[in-house]
Each structure stands twice: as C-alpha cells, then as structure tokens.
Amino acid sequence: MIPVREALADLADEQREFAALLGALQDADWPRPSAADGWTVADQVAHLADTEEVAADTLADGPRAFTRTVPRYATAEDFTAAGCRRGDGLAPGDLTAWWDHAAARTRRLLAERAPEDRVAWGFGMNTETFAAARLMEHWAHGLDIRDALGLPVDETPRLRRIAVLGHATLHYALAMGRVRRPQVRTLRLELTGRDGTGHMVGPADATDVLRGPLLAWCRVATRRVRGSPAAPSASGAPAAEGELTAEGELTAEGELAELAVLHARAYL
C-alpha cells in the first residue's frame, strides 16, 4: 500500500496548495478570464469540483461514475463544458466548498484502494496513476489561474509525478494528435529542477532523449505554455497548433523526443 499512500499524500498536498490559492483570491478575481481561452477563474474551480464528483463516484461505483456520465455527452468537450456551467451563479465560498467536499471524498475513497486496483477512468488505470492524474489536473488548472493573475509558480517534488505521467501517456497523446509513433524508438527524459535535482524518466538505453527544466516539461505535458498559440482552450486541449515557447528550454534529440514536445498531453 506504500505507493498509493505516497501518491495520495502528494495529491492531498497539491489540493491543500490549491485551496490556499483559492483562499487568497479576491471576489473580483473569480469572474476574470483565466489563462485557458474562454474560461473564467470560477470555471476552473467548477470544472475541478465537477470532475472530483465524477472521480469519487467512479471509485464508489456511483451514479456519476465516468463510464455512466461521460457517454451521455456527444463529446468530451461537452461533458467538460457542462461541468463548468454547474458553477454558474455560485458565490466564491460556495464554489470552494463544493470543490473541497468533492475532493475530500475522492481522497477518502482512494485511501481504501490497493495499488493493483483498476479505476475505470478513460481507458483504465491503476490506483496510483489515478491519484497522479488528479494531482496533475489540480496543478494544471491552478496554473491557469496563476498565469492569468500573474502569480508565481512554485516548483515542488510533486512535479515529478506529472513528468512521469506525461511520459507514460505519450503513445495516447500521439494517437490523439493523429501522429504515427516512430518504430523502434524509446524516450528518456533528463529533467532538472530549479534546485539542481535531476529527474530521469524512461529507459536508460532509450534511443531518444529530451533534456531541460522539470517545470518546462510539465507545462508542455499539460499544454500550458505561457504566451503560446498552443495554450489550452475551454476543452483543455490546445487552442491551435503552433510553436511552443518551451521549445527553447527543452532540447530534443531524436524524432520521438521532438514529437513529445509538440504533442505530449497528460490528460484525457
């Protein structure tokens, strides 16, 4: 159970940081545009509250479980938009309470799971990966708020989980981008934190290598690169294709590494 407990502890820490961010906002900040095109700050919180409800019901096999809820919508974007609209008209305190209650329920249910348990989210994943995915969502949407309001972005050891997730989902990301993965190519990430700590993800004998700052890769993997034409849209996907600002920070050696910078996405 240690891996799940560690992932759950990181998720709890990320959500505490998100709660602190919300607590520092002024009432006038909530209707302001976030860094995601078409989303307000309030939309970001409503989206997380809604998806935490779905996450909890997925773990509990409840009525809003992923496999029961998402297919009701024509597209994933429609599901996401509907979740945001559930927050319309709610005061900041009510939005925060909604999110906090849903997130706490998800954490409680995750704590009851064993590492090998499967979670029916997307194409399915184990408990530890699911906790990392929820961490990634909170970091990414918190980043949308911080970037829009000009707030600093701290770097924590939790970013390694996002880095690993971005690497693990690369095959899916290329499929979503309708890009054929190069044959017989593997990828290693050699990332460096602001404190100089090195983070290696992927096989030591990989054919391709991507080097650069840990934060830069996490921004690319979540499609949240400041000032880029590939900034996230209301669906969470890039608004348009284009060169990423972070390319200047990441050095790609090999075709798969280059494709990772262009197409990585750690979310569904």
Side-chain angles (χ1 to χ4, degrees):
M1 292 294 290
I2 290 177
V4 173
R5 286 202 300 268
E6 290 177 350
L8 185 55
D10 282 348
L11 173 60
D13 286 345
E14 192 65 41
Q15 291 180 332
R16 274 192 290 270
E17 188 170 302
F18 185 76
L21 170 63
L22 299 187
L25 296 178
Q26 302 298 313
D27 285 352
D29 292 328
W30 290 74
R32 291 177 59 179
S34 73
D37 184 32
W39 288 41
T40 65
V41 170
D43 289 337
Q44 298 283 347
V45 182
H47 168 66
L48 287 173
D50 181 67
T51 53
E52 282 300 293
E53 285 188 348
V54 175
D57 262 19
T58 298
L59 293 167
D61 196 25
R64 293 201 70 214
F66 186 97
T67 56
R68 296 188 180 99
T69 301
V70 177
R72 298 173 187 166
Y73 296 87
T75 66
E77 288 76 14
D78 289 342
F79 160 71
T80 300
C84 291
R85 298 287 63 80
R86 290 182 67 203
D88 289 353
L90 293 181
D94 293 332
L95 267 173
T96 300
W98 174 27
W99 164 77
D100 184 61
H101 175 78
R105 181 172 175 243
T106 299
R107 293 195 305 272
R108 287 195 300 271
L109 290 166
L110 274 171
E112 299 171 0
R113 291 293 189 111
E116 66 274 10
D117 285 354
R118 300 293 294 176
V119 180
W121 188 274
F123 299 108
M125 59 190 73
N126 64 31
T127 307
E128 183 179 11
T129 301
F130 186 64
R134 298 315 302 157
L135 184 159
M136 176 273 300
E137 285 281 343
H138 281 80
W139 181 80
H141 289 286
L143 194 62
D144 289 339
I145 297 173
R146 293 180 186 279
D147 282 351
L149 301 181
L151 300 175
V153 178
D154 294 330
E155 184 175 292
T156 74
R158 298 189 297 274
L159 287 188
R160 178 176 170 81
R161 293 195 181 275
I162 299 172
V164 170
L165 195 62
H167 182 277
T169 55
L170 184 55
H171 181 76
Y172 159 79
L174 293 178
M176 289 295 294
R178 298 183 179 180
V179 176
R180 179 171 295 181
R181 178 170 180 148
Q183 295 295 312
V184 201
R185 309 296 295 185
T186 53
L187 177 65
R188 182 175 71 254
L189 307 177
E190 294 183 359
L191 307 171
T192 307
R194 287 175 179 166
D195 62 359
T197 301
H199 303 272
M200 190 177 82
V201 181
D205 61 349
T207 59
D208 296 22
V209 181
L210 186 64
R211 297 185 177 91
L214 174 64
L215 180 58
W217 166 248
C218 289
R219 279 188 174 274
V220 166
T222 56
R223 315 313 295 170
R224 270 130 174 117
V225 181
R226 193 193 305 267
S228 166
S233 68
S235 67
E241 293 300 325
E243 184 178 0
L244 295 173
T245 306
E247 282 185 337
E249 300 181 79
L250 297 170
T251 302
E253 297 180 4
E255 183 182 2
L256 184 57
E258 293 172 355
L259 289 173
V261 174
L262 293 174
H263 298 285
R265 54 176 286 176
Y267 54 87
L268 294 176

